[in-house]
Amino acid sequence: MTDQVVTSAADADPVHAFIGETVNQHDVVLFMKGTPDAPRCGFSSLAVQILDHIGASFVGVDVLQDDALRDGIKSFSDWPTIPQLYVKGEFVGGSDIVREMFNAGELQTLMADKGVSLGDGADDSGT
């Protein structure tokens, strides 16, 4: 009977199931408007620029492709705005928080603490 309840709960909210699977399968995920190559809002663009600058490899998920996903990510994280950054399954925050953490060097530290490899841009960012 317990298995049926779990299955029913997953079936009841497939969007949350998709979000959970996505953040657990990838080290760094940015739920955003548009794609990393073509952001469709300034806040998403800023988050992409910061992640690119520090050399973080990340998966961008375009919430504009699906209204259920756009609403679902907000309820999943209990955060009202997009973009939303996840690192190793943990919600980090939106564009303002990502920018503040980057400027303070905290985003790079978080990535290192979580075991996320950063590319060439990591050495010259935030310093």
Side-chain angles (χ1 to χ4, degrees), residues 3 5-6 9 12 15 24 33 41 44-45 47 50 53-54 61-62 68 71 94 105 116 120 124:
D3 290 338
V5 172
V6 171
V15 172
N24 287 324
K33 293 178 180 176
C41 85
S44 292
S45 179
I50 290 169
H53 185 75
I54 66 173
V61 178
D62 183 1
D71 293 336
V116 175
D120 296 334
D124 65 353

Side-chain angles (χ1 to χ4, degrees), residues 9 21 36 38 46 55 57 84 86 95:
E21 289 171 16
L46 177 63
S57 178
Q84 295 186 12
Y86 288 79
S95 181

Side-chain angles (χ1 to χ4, degrees), residues 58-97:
F58 68 98
V59 171
V61 178
D62 183 1
V63 301
L64 297 178
Q65 297 301 310
D66 184 345
D67 287 340
L69 178 59
R70 186 176 182 175
D71 293 336
I73 191 63
K74 294 174 185 179
S75 62
F76 184 85
S77 62
D78 196 25
W79 191 259
T81 60
I82 298 165
Q84 295 186 12
L85 179 66
Y86 288 79
V87 176
K88 292 283 188 161
E90 178 184 329
F91 175 64
V92 175
S95 181
D96 290 346
I97 290 173

